[in-house]
Amino acid sequence: MMPTDEELIKEIKDGSQAAMEVLVKKHYKTVFAYIYRKIGDHHLAYDLTQDVFVKMMKALDQYKNDGKFTHWLSRIAVNHCRDYFRSRPYKQQNRENELNPLIHDHKQNVWDMLSKKEDSEKVKTAIKELPEMQREAIILKYYHEMKIKEIATITDSKEATVKSRLKQGVGKLKALLQGGNRDEERREG
């Protein structure tokens, strides 16, 4: 049977390198998936994921076992991504790159695309267009299947704020993904 996160943390604090490797392997895919969906670049997501686990190891003494370890680790990942988006390299790269034109697909609705976890280029592109806080809430809710209360805890926000970000984010995604269809319907109607 796989040891719990708390058991692994105790072993790590007692000096076990093996326990650290098990803990990282256990959570690596989830952290990488979140960062990749948030950032959109495989190589950069790999680097940022490594940074998150380094931060986790440095902060492990501060973990108080007052909730799920996964939430604590997710908070580190969320904050690290926020730090990246505020960083000079990101801002400089953002100035240099032009935005890709959005491709509209009116045959599927946003809920279906997100609930099936389809990583189509259209959805990825649309999610990247959302404001950071809405993008964060959408990724945590629909890709990592977190509850609103969990998202509020991880992002240090109120539940009502998370609900609002989700509602606005989904609305914007629908507009981005289905926008071309509305104009056609008005002309025909």
Side-chain angles (χ1 to χ4, degrees):
M1 189 167 104
M2 175 78 94
T4 67
D5 293 336
E6 284 70 25
E7 291 169 340
L8 290 169
I9 291 166
K10 184 183 180 320
E11 288 182 38
I12 292 168
K13 288 180 178 179
D14 291 339
S16 172
Q17 180 75 22
M20 180 188 70
E21 291 174 16
V22 171
L23 187 66
V24 169
K25 282 182 183 176
K26 185 175 177 183
H27 295 283
Y28 188 89
K29 285 182 182 177
T30 303
V31 172
F32 177 82
Y34 168 75
I35 293 174
Y36 177 68
R37 287 181 180 117
K38 181 94 171 168
I39 303 294
D41 178 285
H42 182 81
H43 298 291
L44 181 58
Y46 174 81
D47 291 342
L48 294 176
T49 301
Q50 299 303 315
D51 294 344
V52 165
F53 283 104
V54 168
K55 283 184 174 185
M56 175 204 76
M57 290 308 300
K58 288 181 179 177
L60 210 50
D61 287 339
Q62 298 169 11
Y63 176 65
K64 299 201 177 12
N65 197 12
D66 56 359
K68 282 184 136 184
F69 173 77
T70 307
H71 295 157
W72 183 78
L73 182 59
S74 295
R75 180 176 278 200
I76 293 172
V78 164
N79 288 336
H80 193 61
C81 286
R82 287 178 179 173
D83 291 344
Y84 170 72
F85 283 119
R86 287 189 290 256
S87 72
R88 183 173 300 198
Y90 171 75
K91 289 179 180 177
Q92 186 174 353
Q93 177 191 16
N94 223 20
R95 278 186 232 118
E96 294 170 1
N97 292 341
E98 291 182 12
L99 294 174
N100 294 330
L102 288 173
I103 303 167
H104 298 288
D105 181 6
H106 59 277
K107 293 180 181 162
Q108 292 180 303
N109 76 37
V110 176
W111 291 104
D112 289 342
M113 294 175 102
L114 290 174
S115 65
K116 291 177 186 173
K117 298 183 184 177
E118 293 177 359
D119 276 278
S120 72
E121 289 302 313
K122 294 173 194 173
V123 174
K124 283 190 220 176
T125 301
I127 288 174
K128 286 181 195 174
E129 296 294 318
L130 294 175
E132 181 183 346
M133 299 300 192
Q134 291 173 10
R135 181 172 60 239
E136 189 173 85
I138 293 282
I139 291 169
L140 291 172
K141 173 81 173 148
Y142 295 103
Y143 287 100
H144 293 275
E145 299 174 356
M146 290 188 177
K147 295 180 173 122
I148 289 173
K149 186 174 185 174
E150 293 171 328
I151 297 169
T153 301
I154 289 168
T155 60
D156 201 24
S157 305
K158 294 181 180 178
E159 288 182 39
T161 303
V162 172
K163 288 177 186 177
S164 173
R165 288 174 183 162
L166 286 168
K167 184 176 180 180
Q168 290 173 358
V170 167
K172 286 179 184 173
L173 282 176
K174 283 182 181 178
L176 289 169
L177 294 170
Q178 301 172 340
N181 193 30
R182 289 193 193 121
D183 292 336
E184 292 171 19
E185 287 174 2
R186 283 188 199 132
R187 283 187 218 128
E188 292 172 4

